[in-house]
Every structure is written in C-alpha cells, then in structure tokens.
Amino acid sequence: PARLESSLAQLHGFLEAISSGYPVDRARLFLFGFSQGALMSLAAGLKQPDRLGGVIALSGYLPDSIDLEDHAGLEKLSMFLGHGVSDTIIPVSNGREARDRLTAAGVQVTYREYPAAHTITPAEVQDIEEWIGRRLEIISRK
C-alpha cells in the first residue's frame, strides 16, 4: 500500500503538471494501463475523474482498499475494462468484480472479455480504438 500511494502521488503530480503546464484538453486525456498499470490507472481516474476523458484498464483489478464512496463525480467518469478469460496472473473474476463495483458506484463502464491469458489481444486493441473514438465523438458534441 505504501508503494501504491507513493506511485499514485507521482502519477497525480504528472497529471497536474500536464493540465497546468500545457494546453491539454482534459476531456481528451486518457489513462491506459495493463496489469499493475491498470490498477494505477483505475486508482488515479477515481481520485480525479474531472481531469480525464476516460480510463482504459486491461487485465487488472480494483483493490478492496479503494473505497468508492470516498470519491465524488464518478458518474462523469468513463472506463473501458478488458480481461482475458484464461488469465492465470489476475483471474477474470477480478475484472468482473471491478466492473461490478465501478458500475454500482456510477462509473460509465464498458467491459469486455477475450479468449486469452494475461495479454493484450488484437481484438482488444480494436475495441479500445472504437471506444476511444466514441468518447471523442461525445466530447466533440459538448
């Protein structure tokens, strides 16, 4: 937990630096993580939902230590979660649990499962491209 908090503090600092130091449209900023990176992306997105256009988390999980009731504005957050059904590193049940917890908290979740182990598949990449495209269309209409 201490390393996670330290890493998250660095990631939050990075997001702050990008948002304040560069002409970045926050609505077009996405975090993308695989495995441990998925955990980091989920945690950062939940803490600062207004700072992002969305989160992509593949083959990850949402730790029980993250209390979703402590986070405001989650209904504004959009996430794509993908998981391999044959994943032996982080079982698909963890992805399903993350989906269920996030959805119950009001996050807009798109969840997909793939016939794969702990990897990123071409089908997953295609689904992510389409999801980002839809998110950018929604953002452009606002």
Side-chain angles (χ1 to χ4, degrees):
R3 285 180 44 201
L4 174 61
E5 287 304 316
S6 172
S7 296
L8 280 172
Q10 290 179 33
L11 181 54
H12 291 303
F14 175 72
L15 291 173
E16 179 62 36
I18 287 174
S19 298
S20 61
Y22 297 91
V24 174
D25 179 357
R26 291 179 180 193
R28 296 178 179 276
L29 182 62
F30 293 83
L31 285 180
F32 186 131
F34 173 77
S35 195
Q36 182 69 21
L39 180 147
M40 293 291 296
S41 296
L42 289 170
L46 291 167
K47 187 161 185 153
Q48 300 176 343
D50 291 337
R51 199 174 289 264
L52 301 168
V55 173
I56 300 148
L58 307 180
S59 298
Y61 66 100
L62 186 61
D64 292 334
S65 61
I66 295 179
D67 184 0
L68 296 175
E69 293 181 12
D70 288 344
H71 297 80
L74 295 183
E75 68 283 349
K76 299 174 189 172
L77 188 58
S78 185
M79 294 187 170
F80 180 96
L81 276 63
H83 216 105
V85 294
S86 303
D87 193 333
T88 58
I89 307 297
I90 300 176
V92 70
S93 58
N94 291 32
R96 293 171 182 159
E97 180 184 336
R99 172 202 60 203
D100 295 345
R101 287 180 58 204
L102 292 164
T103 300
V107 177
Q108 303 167 41
V109 177
T110 299
Y111 178 81
R112 300 281 186 272
E113 292 182 357
Y114 301 90
H118 194 69
T119 190
I120 300 172
T121 69
E124 207 165 6
V125 171
Q126 182 176 352
D127 288 347
I128 292 165
E129 287 178 10
E130 291 171 7
W131 181 83
I132 290 174
R134 286 192 304 274
R135 293 294 311 142
L136 293 175
E137 285 175 17
I138 291 168
I139 291 164
S140 295
R141 283 186 256 144
K142 290 183 178 180

